[in-house]
Amino acid sequence: MSFYSSPIRLLITLILAVVGGTIFSFFHIPLSWMLGSLTATLVFSRVSSFPLLWPVQLRNVGLLLIGYMLGRSFTKETLLRMIHHLPSMLLLTILILVFSSILAYYVSKVTNINLKSTLTGSIPGGLSQMIVLGEELKGIDLTVVTFIQATRLMAVVFTVPFLASFFSNQERTPMKSILTAFSLHDLFTYIGILLIGLLCAIAGKYFKLPTRFLLGPILITGIFVIAGGTAPHPPDFITDGAQLLMGTYLGLILKPNKLTHKARFSFFAICTAFSLILFSFLSGMLLFLFYDIPITTAFLSVAPGGMAEMAVVAEEVKASLAVVTSFQLFRILFILFLMPPFLRWLFKQAFFKRLEQRTEKQRT
């Protein structure tokens, strides 16, 4: 058997992820199993030529588990709260999109990247969904889109947990127990919901359901809870495992060596990522001031990360999963369903072509 065979590569990747998560957990770093596995695999892949392996199917398993946790937070009261917050959800989503577009324009001005690519990369939707969108649009540099999206996501998952922990007034135990009380009935309920959620995720492919491995279990678990069922809290090692499955995948998707002028572009990508995080924090302050939503919950609700990542952070710092999920879900659905046709329309407009020409002239 070759040393570079898939099982060996997968095993070494897993060992690295576990070591990274263990170290981060030892130092009580927020979101330790996601950030630890992410850091270990990212650093190793940059300093070593050994080809690590982490199939997207493992990431999808993590999404299923996180989707279940999100769905547990949905009740009739949650739905009423979502309806109540619809105007603020719409307003904040539009504000974030406008701010992202302004950042994309200036990045295009100061780099050798076309405006279509920087704009598509700057929209704070799901990483995989925006890459798929980039594949469908003409004139898009997918490496640019992937790098901007991944840089923002990395900045969010490394920065937001610390900010959320700082502003959280909840006491957290230094070390979580490995196993919580979990009856046989709970186990069957848990497995049953996940299996049905998996079937919904598979079926979602034919209905073009966005982030289907996350939304499938969210919908099934939410319907089950709203109908009067009780969805048990999963053991801690399950939630830690979900973090590891996602963090390892995130650590391997960033490929900065494929970029031209990568040092300059990386600098501006990082600057725009943190600018968006700051803008999101200020937007969260509006929720805190006008809706009396706790600052940690408000910040996580509008933070420009993926819904799954922000849900894990919310669970970690004891923020309201229902509020965080509803805001994040609204923004993602808004972007995934409305932005593709909007961008196709926008790229054909004369004023957009003039903007492109203006940025090109300033680069030449």
Side-chain angles (χ1 to χ4, degrees), residues 10-297:
L10 184 61
L11 177 61
I12 292 177
T13 306
L14 177 61
I15 292 173
L16 284 169
V18 171
V19 169
T22 302
I23 293 173
F24 274 50
S25 180
F26 178 79
F27 289 103
H28 313 318
I29 295 175
L31 215 61
S32 56
W33 287 95
M34 179 180 287
L35 297 184
S37 58
L38 187 157
T39 302
T41 51
L42 175 62
V43 171
F44 184 87
S45 63
R46 296 293 298 141
V47 301
S48 171
S49 60
F50 183 85
L52 297 177
L53 176 66
W54 200 252
V56 70
Q57 289 82 359
L58 292 176
R59 190 281 311 264
N60 292 339
V61 172
L63 290 179
L64 285 172
L65 299 174
I66 293 170
Y68 171 84
M69 289 189 293
L70 295 177
R72 289 182 67 249
S73 65
F74 278 96
T75 62
K76 294 178 181 178
E77 180 184 355
T78 302
L79 293 178
L80 293 175
R81 189 181 303 172
M82 287 181 66
I83 296 173
H84 175 68
H85 287 303
L86 272 178
S88 58
M89 289 177 180
L90 179 61
L91 175 61
L92 291 176
T93 297
I94 292 175
L95 286 176
I96 289 175
L97 289 175
V98 169
F99 186 74
S100 301
S101 301
I102 294 172
L103 290 176
Y105 175 74
Y106 282 102
V107 169
S108 182
K109 283 179 64 176
V110 297
T111 65
N112 292 319
I113 309 297
N114 68 72
L115 184 56
K116 289 180 181 179
S117 298
T118 59
L119 182 60
T120 306
S122 298
I123 295 173
L127 173 66
S128 58
Q129 287 73 34
M130 298 313 298
I131 293 174
V132 171
L133 174 59
E135 291 175 334
E136 296 175 353
L137 298 173
K138 295 181 179 180
I140 300 294
D141 187 331
L142 281 180
T143 300
V144 170
V145 174
T146 303
F147 188 82
I148 295 177
Q149 291 284 342
T151 300
R152 189 194 72 250
L153 187 56
M154 299 296 182
V156 168
V157 298
F158 272 102
T159 305
V160 170
F162 292 94
L163 291 175
S165 298
F166 177 78
F167 287 104
S168 175
N169 292 321
Q170 300 291 335
E171 290 291 331
R172 296 189 298 125
T173 55
M175 295 289 288
K176 296 191 292 184
S177 61
I178 295 177
L179 188 62
T180 55
F182 207 62
S183 69
L184 189 61
H185 177 268
D186 288 343
L187 179 62
F188 284 132
T189 302
Y190 181 56
I191 294 176
I193 293 175
L194 284 178
L195 287 176
I196 298 174
L198 175 60
L199 293 175
C200 288
I202 294 173
K205 177 180 180 180
Y206 301 98
F207 297 98
K208 297 184 178 180
L209 185 70
T211 324
R212 53 196 175 96
F213 285 97
L214 186 66
L215 290 183
I218 286 178
L219 294 174
I220 293 302
T221 310
I223 291 172
F224 180 74
V225 172
I226 291 173
T230 301
H233 192 288
D236 291 335
F237 75 89
I238 293 291
T239 58
D240 291 342
Q243 289 188 38
L244 183 144
L245 291 171
M246 290 193 56
T248 307
Y249 177 80
L250 293 174
L252 296 181
I253 61 175
L254 194 57
K255 307 291 184 183
N257 55 306
K258 293 184 178 180
L259 284 170
T260 57
H261 308 291
K262 54 187 175 185
R264 185 183 184 192
F265 182 63
S266 297
F267 172 76
F268 286 106
I270 293 171
C271 288
T272 56
F274 282 104
S275 297
L276 191 57
I277 292 173
L278 176 61
F279 182 81
S280 298
F281 177 75
L282 296 176
S283 300
M285 289 295 294
L286 296 177
L287 291 177
F288 171 70
L289 294 173
F290 290 99
Y291 287 93
D292 199 27
I293 295 176
I295 185 62
T296 305
T297 299

